[in-house]
């Protein structure tokens, strides 16, 4: 039982490049989330998917897109990376959106130069 | 506006020196309050959920309590392996689309 997994663990991009962060969970959870964590800012929600087939914007969605591929997988895409997107990205899942605890993956450390 | 504030930002303790971390919140209504532990370079690890004032949860040297305006994470006789950043989060019942609001965390260092 791996919980929440994320790939890659580290990534360096040049400004303007694109990439997709992958996330998968094996807990049969309905809801999945993408956060970013910056020094002094705490965790901020980028996008979430309350259930398979739905996605919604969180607090800081600009510059990102998401896809809920199936119940297990939720990806985050940066179409044209900017230095302001340098951050650590965490994926999380919960049994239901708005109820109960969320479980987090190990994170992806992204640097945009 | 829903808000979560954690204090202190950093706390240094000697091994065995008990203390408490504070999480104060301002929300329209509380569905739940959560404590997480985060080690450097890792994702947050779930510790406790508290739902109503007066509730307490314990795990090893940690005890979380909840009042109507704040939560405390009490650490009894800490060990160096308790060193980590402790995050508090709340689920407001109104607004914020029902998603978690996180505090900025308290970085705990326990010296042997």
């Amino acid at each position: 039982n791996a919980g929440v997994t994320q790939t890659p663990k580290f990534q360096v991009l040049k400004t303007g490049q694109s990439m997709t962060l992958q996330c998968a969970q094996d807990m049969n959870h309905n809801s999945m989330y993408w956060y970013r964590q910056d020094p002094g800012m705490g965790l901020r929600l980028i996008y979430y998917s309350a259930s398979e087939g739905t996605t919604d914007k969180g607090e800081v969605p600009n510059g990102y897109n998401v896809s809920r591929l199936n119940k297990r997988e939720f990806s985050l895409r940066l179409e044209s990376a900017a230095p302001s997107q340098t951050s650590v990205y965490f994926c999380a899942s919960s049994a239901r959106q708005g109820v109960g605890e969320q479980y987090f993956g190990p994170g992806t450390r992204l640097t945009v130069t | 506006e829903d808000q979560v504030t954690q204090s202190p930002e950093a706390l240094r303790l000697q091994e065995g020196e008990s203390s408490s971390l504070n999480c104060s919140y301002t929300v329209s209504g509380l569905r739940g309050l959560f404590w997480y532990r985060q080690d450097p370079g890792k994702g947050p690890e779930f510790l406790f959920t508290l739902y109503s004032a007066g509730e307490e949860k314990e795990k090893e040297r940690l005890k979380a309590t909840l009042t109507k305006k704040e939560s405390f994470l009490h650490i009894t006789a800490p060990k160096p392996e308790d060193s980590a950043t402790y995050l508090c989060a709340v689920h407001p019942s109104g607004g914020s689309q029902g998603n978690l609001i996180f505090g900025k965390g308290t970085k705990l260092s326990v010296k042997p």
Side-chain angles (χ1 to χ4, degrees), chain B:
Chain B
E1 182 187 349
D2 298 327
Q3 198 168 356
V4 176
T5 304
Q6 292 188 245
S7 62
E9 289 185 13
L11 181 62
R12 290 188 172 191
L13 299 174
Q14 288 295 126
E15 184 172 2
E17 179 187 3
S18 301
S19 188
S20 297
L21 282 57
N22 178 264
C23 171
S24 63
Y25 58 91
T26 306
V27 295
S28 50
L30 184 69
R31 284 192 199 175
L33 184 142
F34 307 87
W35 282 99
Y36 289 85
R37 169 191 171 125
Q38 186 173 23
D39 292 300
K42 303 285 182 64
E45 175 189 349
F46 169 71
L47 292 173
F48 303 110
T49 306
L50 300 167
Y51 289 107
S52 56
E55 190 174 0
E56 299 182 352
K57 294 274 181 73
E58 283 189 71
K59 180 180 179 180
E60 296 181 355
R61 295 175 293 281
L62 300 177
K63 179 180 177 181
T65 61
L66 181 65
T67 71
K68 288 187 177 180
K69 293 185 177 181
E70 58 191 349
S71 176
F72 292 93
L73 185 65
H74 307 278
I75 303 176
T76 302
K79 298 182 177 181
E81 53 262 41
D82 294 321
S83 297
T85 296
Y86 291 86
L87 303 175
C88 172
V90 299
H91 249 153
S93 57
S96 303
Q97 300 163 309
N99 290 309
L100 287 180
I101 299 173
F102 280 86
K104 296 179 180 180
T106 293
K107 185 176 182 179
L108 174 66
S109 299
V110 182
K111 302 299 181 184

Side-chain angles (χ1 to χ4, degrees), chain A:
Chain A
N1 204 355
V4 179
T5 57
Q6 293 181 236
T7 56
K9 290 187 177 180
F10 301 93
Q11 185 71 51
V12 179
L13 291 178
K14 294 185 187 301
T15 297
Q17 288 185 318
S18 62
M19 79 161 296
T20 300
L21 281 63
Q22 306 287 354
C23 173
Q25 52 91 10
D26 63 1
M27 294 176 282
N28 200 35
H29 283 169
N30 288 302
S31 303
M32 298 184 73
Y33 313 82
W34 277 105
Y35 291 89
R36 61 179 288 174
Q37 187 175 42
D38 302 291
M41 296 293 292
L43 281 159
R44 293 182 293 169
L45 183 65
I46 304 171
Y47 270 93
Y48 67 99
S49 171
S51 60
E52 187 178 356
T54 70
T55 60
D56 281 290
K57 296 177 181 180
E59 180 185 355
V60 288
N62 291 346
Y64 305 96
N65 285 301
V66 290
S67 296
R68 184 74 182 268
L69 304 171
N70 48 55
K71 190 172 185 178
R72 291 186 62 248
E73 298 173 289
F74 188 38
S75 63
L76 178 72
R77 183 161 178 84
L78 286 69
E79 291 290 351
S80 179
S84 61
Q85 294 178 305
T86 293
S87 187
V88 182
Y89 292 86
F90 290 102
C91 177
S93 70
S94 67
R96 282 191 294 148
Q97 189 260 342
V99 178
E101 59 273 10
Q102 295 180 12
Y103 294 89
F104 285 79
T108 295
R109 185 173 295 274
L110 175 67
T111 302
V112 183
T113 62

